[in-house]
Amino acid sequence: MTRIRTENLGGATAWILHRPHPSVHGLVRQLGVIGLEVREAWPELPAETIEADFIFYDADMGHDEQFPWAPGQSPMPMIALIGSEAPGRLRWAMEMGAHAQLLKPMSDKGVYAALLVARSNFDRANASEVLIADLQSRLSARQTIVRAVMIFVMKGKTEAEAYDLLRQTAMAWRVTIEIAAERLVANYSNERGNDDGRRIDPA
């Protein structure tokens, strides 16, 4: 059998979490043809799998405790090996974070495609999480800026003057406006909370 040379997959490590079964042999053989280093485990994954490039896992007999990470939090692409289409089994396979699937009985068909699909979906999911975290961070920063501006407004400044004062404060401290706003809001909260040792800022 001719070895398939793939620049991106050759040399990658794949773990197969599946009970010993003849059908797994074909999967192991095909992964080797593609160029992956294959390791097998059952009934649970060892801690070293945290460095794996791909995980194939049995969706029919698997359970949460087999993985050294929380459901849906795998640090690598996950490929479900599905034989049963029972709703509960399929739901569990998805909750574990399947990025692709292979149907049983397994053969050498579809393995390469499953690897590429899994990696693509994994990368896309990670990119989405980064984007969401960035948007949440920006929203939080804007809310903090508004609070900092309002502190100056309560001291008699107009909104325009308050924002300009915030900008000048950031320049004087040599930090970003966001960081300056965080410091001002924190200082204001501390001052309000320490007025008489008992007072708590209602904000």
Side-chain angles (χ1 to χ4, degrees):
M1 189 176 291
T2 304
R3 181 184 179 88
I4 301 174
R5 296 188 179 277
T6 54
E7 182 179 353
N8 294 329
L9 294 180
T13 300
W15 279 82
I16 300 176
L17 179 63
H18 194 287
R19 63 196 184 285
H21 193 276
S23 65
V24 177
H25 300 163
L27 175 59
V28 172
R29 182 172 60 253
Q30 186 61 17
L31 288 172
V33 169
I34 295 172
L36 282 76
E37 179 182 346
V38 184
R39 300 176 185 176
E40 299 179 57
W42 189 263
E44 61 186 26
L45 290 172
E48 63 189 281
T49 55
I50 200 76
E51 298 180 354
D53 296 294
F54 295 93
I55 298 291
F56 291 79
Y57 65 101
D58 184 9
D60 299 331
M61 298 184 67
H63 53 87
D64 294 359
E65 291 72 20
Q66 292 180 297
F67 301 86
W69 50 75
Q73 300 298 317
S74 66
M76 76 289 289
M78 300 266 285
I79 301 172
L81 304 176
I82 299 175
S84 170
E85 294 189 356
R89 285 284 84 195
L90 293 176
R91 182 168 55 252
W92 177 82
M94 296 303 103
E95 290 174 349
M96 284 310 302
H99 300 100
Q101 66 180 37
L102 282 175
L103 298 180
K104 301 177 184 178
M106 292 173 285
S107 68
D108 58 357
K109 304 296 184 183
V111 176
Y112 181 63
L115 289 167
L116 296 184
V117 169
R119 186 172 60 183
S120 176
N121 287 337
F122 177 78
D123 291 343
R124 189 175 303 167
N126 282 348
S128 295
E129 290 180 2
V130 171
L131 176 59
I132 291 172
D134 181 61
L135 292 175
Q136 291 176 334
S137 177
R138 291 185 182 185
L139 177 60
S140 176
R142 289 181 180 180
Q143 292 173 337
T144 303
I145 289 174
V146 170
R147 293 184 64 187
V149 167
M150 292 308 299
I151 291 173
F152 290 130
V153 169
M154 288 187 295
K155 294 181 179 180
K157 303 293 184 180
T158 66
E159 287 190 16
E161 291 172 339
Y163 184 81
D164 187 58
L165 186 55
L166 175 60
R167 182 179 60 81
Q168 294 178 25
T169 301
M171 293 176 61
W173 289 349
R174 295 182 180 180
V175 296
T176 64
I177 288 180
E178 292 80 6
I179 292 177
E182 288 179 2
R183 292 181 181 178
L184 287 168
V185 169
N187 290 340
Y188 178 75
S189 296
N190 289 336
E191 290 173 1
R192 296 276 291 176
N194 294 330
D195 277 351
D196 59 5
R198 294 170 299 174
R199 185 175 181 180
I200 300 177
D201 185 0

